[in-house]
Amino acid sequence: MNATSDCPYGQCDGTGIIHLVEKKTGILYDAFCQCHKDAMQKNRLKFADIPTEFTGLTVNSFEVNCYENESNTQLARKAKQMTANYIRSFEEFERDGKGIYFYSKTRGSGKTRLAVSLGNVLLNTIGRQVKFITSIDLLQEIKNTYNKDTEYTESQVIESVTDVDVLIIDDIGVENKTPWVNEILFGIFDNRMKHSKITIFTSNCEIENLEHDERLKSRIFKMCIPIKMPEEDVRKAIARKENEELQIRLMEGK
Ligand SMILES: Nc1ncnc2c1ncn2[C@@H]1O[C@H](COP(=O)(O)OP(=O)(O)OP(=O)(O)O)[C@@H](O)[C@H]1O
Ligand SMILES: [Mg+2]
Ligand SMILES: [Zn+2]
């Protein structure tokens, strides 16, 4: 083995493979170097496309005391606990192809925050391939492939979201419900359901109240455990607090 400066660990010759000898038998064998594992994780992270605001956040750091109303604190605590328990038994849920559907009518209540935190754990700790995308962006990306001269074809984009281990669809229900939209989403979810792939949704709407085709909704029902989120806008409360602190800073001229 020629360890060179191409490997940050000085373990391999830059190929990501180290050649080892088994002590007892003297048999030669190959193993992946840590630099190869790092590169794989970096690719997975890039592919996941988690919004920068949420990268690295965990379920543990999801606050339950930032809601003013006690019933919302209870809902947040329950949602957090259920998500932590889901992670604990993830392999079982994965076998059954059961994801989670986080929903509440109120904007800024923590749906995306908790869904992405779950995705981060599945990506960084459990080592699954994860992809985050809003339903609007997904449909737009597919539409873009209909123009000439695009990098990817329609089937490549669809395949990338159909095949990924864990797909997070943010804000399902806000897109137009045209026959084309129903057809595209049905194709993706039906395929994911057949292969027991995990899909995590966030939505402003209960599954029953989604305005999609019944055959699409029944697949979402089958693929997800619904978790109710608080009905309180913490985004506004957080922004108000930030602005108050900034106002004080401006007044004090610091
Ligand atoms: N429980 C929480 N603990 C810490 N931060 C939170 C919590 N809930 C929400 N936030 C923060 O508040 C902001 C809004 O949360 P988030 O984007 O998850 O809301 P949402 O329910 O997905 O809203 P929308 O319906 O508009 O998509 C984010 O910056 C998020 O990090
Ligand atoms: Mg959201
Ligand atoms: Zn190496």
Side-chain angles (χ1 to χ4, degrees):
M1 175 185 57
N2 296 317
T4 68
S5 57
D6 290 339
C7 172
Y9 297 93
Q11 294 279 319
C12 73
D13 54 9
T15 56
I17 293 178
I18 39 181
H19 311 290
L20 301 166
V21 184
E22 210 186 274
K23 269 193 193 137
K24 269 191 199 157
T25 57
I27 293 174
L28 294 170
Y29 68 100
D30 290 347
F32 284 125
C33 177
Q34 185 60 39
C35 75
H36 172 83
K37 293 175 194 162
D38 290 356
M40 296 275 288
Q41 178 65 2
K42 208 169 149 202
N43 281 342
R44 273 210 291 263
L45 257 176
K46 190 162 170 247
F47 178 80
D49 210 13
I50 307 271
T52 21
E53 179 191 0
F54 299 114
T55 37
L57 289 180
T58 63
V59 175
N60 272 345
S61 65
F62 181 82
E63 273 283 339
V64 296
N65 294 319
C66 57
Y67 302 90
E68 280 178 12
N69 182 308
E70 178 53 27
S71 65
N72 286 322
T73 305
Q74 296 288 354
L75 276 171
R77 184 171 293 126
K78 205 166 135 194
K80 179 175 176 172
Q81 190 58 53
M82 286 170 84
T83 307
N85 292 342
Y86 177 81
I87 292 168
R88 205 161 301 132
S89 307
F90 179 69
E91 274 158 23
E92 240 171 83
F93 289 112
E94 193 176 35
R95 249 197 324 274
D96 298 340
K98 288 278 185 196
I100 295 185
Y101 185 95
F102 294 100
Y103 69 97
S104 80
K105 287 197 194 77
T106 313
R107 293 255 162 227
S109 63
K111 297 179 287 293
T112 304
R113 167 70 167 78
L114 192 53
V116 171
S117 304
L118 167 60
N120 283 337
V121 177
L122 299 179
L123 174 74
N124 296 317
T125 314
I126 306 195
R128 295 296 183 271
Q129 195 191 22
V130 175
K131 171 93 186 154
F132 173 93
I133 193 160
T134 66
S135 62
I136 298 244
D137 285 351
L138 170 61
L139 294 163
Q140 191 57 51
E141 273 187 27
I142 294 167
K143 255 188 208 155
N144 289 345
T145 64
Y146 300 160
N147 299 326
K148 277 187 196 147
D149 305 328
T150 48
E151 199 179 339
Y152 301 106
T153 63
E154 178 189 21
S155 54
Q156 280 173 325
V157 173
I158 292 180
E159 243 170 56
S160 78
V161 289
T162 304
D163 294 349
V164 67
D165 297 337
V166 177
L167 176 65
I168 306 175
I169 297 280
D170 196 35
D171 248 344
I172 182 103
V174 296
E175 65 283 352
N176 291 329
K177 285 83 185 171
T178 62
W180 177 79
V181 166
N182 269 304
E183 209 47 51
I184 290 286
L185 294 182
F186 178 81
I188 295 170
F189 300 148
D190 186 51
N191 246 308
R192 292 187 64 77
M193 191 185 80
K194 280 184 188 144
H195 295 100
S196 300
K197 299 263 183 184
I198 298 296
T199 311
I200 294 161
F201 293 91
T202 78
S203 182
N204 287 106
C205 186
E206 289 183 36
I207 303 176
E208 311 66 306
N209 297 335
L210 286 171
E211 291 163 0
H212 298 89
D213 275 2
E214 285 305 320
R215 57 186 194 137
L216 179 57
K217 282 162 62 171
S218 79
R219 292 207 173 31
I220 299 178
F221 252 123
K222 173 88 177 89
M223 292 160 78
C224 292
I225 307 158
I227 295 189
K228 169 106 187 80
M229 294 293 288
E231 296 292 355
E232 199 176 307
D233 186 348
V234 272
R235 184 187 283 129
K236 226 191 254 163
I238 292 170
R240 196 180 298 125
K241 195 161 161 268
E242 270 171 15
N243 284 346
E244 277 167 12
E245 282 164 11
L246 289 174
Q247 276 173 334
I248 292 171
R249 241 181 76 189
L250 288 179
M251 281 190 297
E252 292 174 350
K254 281 184 196 155

